[in-house]
Amino acid sequence: MRAAARGACRSLSTAAPPPPLSMADKVRAFGSLLGTGLASGALGGLVGLGAHGSPIMVPALKSMAKHSTATATGTAAVAVVSTGLAGCLGFATAGSFEPSKGMFGKIEVFTAVMTGVGAAIGSRIGTPLASKLNPQLLQRSFGVVQLVLAPLVLYKPIYDKRVKEEAEQRKKLLRKSTTVISWGKTYTDAYTTVGRFAEAAGRSPPIGLAAGTIFGVLGVGGGVVIAPCLCLLTNLDHATVLGTTLAAMLPASAITALSHWRAGSVCMYSAVPLVLATAAGGYYGSKLAVDLPEEQTKTLFAATIFGLGVRRLML
């Protein structure tokens, strides 16, 4: 049985197999990986930060499956991709399908594609920088950024409500003719595919570039840039922000997982239970994010961002 386990690891990956485990240890490791994958996938789907399941999975792979840090990191990277794919499926099937508006359920495709392209480019820029910069200083600096972004996410609805109330008051003071109202309706109806694509093209690539660069330097953190930026710079509802963020980070996550695979640091014997569990967790986590009241999901997201920021400052 031990030889079979090691053979499975070798046949599907060039990663070094874990040390021999007893049958009881194998059962415990398998159950632990299933539970870990389910928890990390659910967290990723619920808050739209698939890559942040890695800090949960890597310690489990090292302690229970006895993998090295490199193999644990590479194996977790594969599970991050499954979280993103399953989460995107959950968000995409949670709303209406409106191609002219770029909406696939709770994913704004134009923004996701443009941001994803920027993130893929940024990850190629950030990876070489990782060895040239002070990692501790980078982690702590990014932690400060997270501490600043978290309360802004919660303040945005308050600001939007105040702006809306002021706009309503101005409308009451203005006398509008029927012609102006009719023209406004015509213009609004005409603002479909081209307008939304142009809007996404203007704001999304810079956000993706910044997120991808941080992802390449730190290994995680891209979604922590994209989601708050979409919250602050767009009028998308929070579930759409989360779905769009997961979709945007899929290319960068896939590139990272492929790099680990080529480096021989992925063990499929351990990845299989993680992938299955993170897929289930990511899907149902995304469904929960859609069903919960928006105020609760924003509060949970902001608390997660803040907690991750505090954690980075303590590294």
Side-chain angles (χ1 to χ4, degrees):
M1 182 63 71
R2 293 178 183 176
R6 292 196 295 270
C9 197
R10 283 197 184 100
S11 65
L12 292 174
S13 170
T14 57
L21 299 174
S22 67
M23 179 58 67
D25 287 337
K26 289 177 183 178
V27 172
R28 282 195 294 269
F30 189 84
S32 175
L33 293 180
L34 283 176
T36 300
L38 190 63
S40 61
L43 175 65
L46 183 58
V47 298
L49 304 175
H52 280 82
S54 290
I56 301 176
M57 292 184 282
V58 171
L61 286 164
K62 292 172 66 176
S63 63
M64 297 301 298
K66 307 302 181 184
H67 286 304
S68 66
T69 300
T71 302
T73 302
T75 304
V78 176
V80 166
V81 177
S82 71
T83 299
L85 288 171
C88 285
L89 178 62
F91 282 114
T93 56
S96 58
F97 179 70
E98 301 178 77
S100 64
K101 296 181 179 180
M103 296 299 299
F104 285 70
K106 291 295 181 179
I107 298 177
E108 216 279 29
V109 177
F110 297 148
T111 298
V113 170
M114 293 289 182
T115 307
V117 170
I121 296 172
S123 66
R124 300 295 297 270
I125 296 173
T127 302
L129 294 176
S131 60
K132 300 177 182 179
L133 301 173
N134 186 323
Q136 188 178 48
L137 178 61
L138 287 171
Q139 291 280 1
R140 291 181 175 177
S141 298
F142 190 51
V144 172
V145 172
Q146 290 178 262
L147 294 181
V148 173
L149 288 175
L152 289 178
V153 170
L154 294 178
Y155 177 71
K156 176 67 163 32
I158 300 173
Y159 174 79
D160 288 344
K161 182 179 180 181
R162 184 180 302 171
V163 170
K164 185 177 180 180
E165 290 175 350
E166 292 176 353
E168 291 294 332
Q169 291 176 357
R170 285 195 297 269
K171 284 182 180 181
K172 293 178 180 178
L173 299 175
L174 294 175
R175 298 179 61 184
K176 295 182 177 292
S177 67
T178 305
T179 303
V180 172
I181 294 175
S182 178
W183 177 85
K185 183 179 184 304
T186 303
Y187 176 80
T188 301
D189 291 343
Y191 180 72
T192 53
T193 307
V194 175
R196 289 180 179 273
F197 185 83
E199 184 180 354
R203 70 176 177 236
S204 302
I207 295 174
L209 189 65
T213 303
I214 291 173
F215 185 78
V217 172
L218 301 179
V220 295
V224 178
V225 175
I226 295 174
C229 286
L230 293 181
C231 283
L232 298 174
L233 300 177
T234 71
N235 293 320
L236 298 175
D237 64 86
H238 195 65
T240 303
V241 166
L242 300 182
T244 303
T245 299
L246 277 179
M249 285 307 297
L250 268 179
S253 298
I255 290 172
T256 300
L258 183 60
S259 298
H260 284 293
W261 176 268
R262 288 175 174 172
S265 56
V266 175
C267 182
M268 291 303 295
Y269 183 81
S270 298
V272 168
L274 276 181
V275 167
L276 293 175
T278 52
Y283 180 80
Y284 289 106
S286 65
K287 291 297 187 183
L288 180 60
V290 173
D291 293 338
L292 285 175
E294 183 165 349
E295 183 178 342
Q296 292 183 17
T297 56
K298 279 195 173 184
T299 301
L300 178 60
F301 176 78
T304 302
I305 296 294
F306 192 87
L308 292 171
V310 172
R311 179 177 176 273
R312 291 187 188 280
L313 290 177
M314 297 174 65
L315 293 177

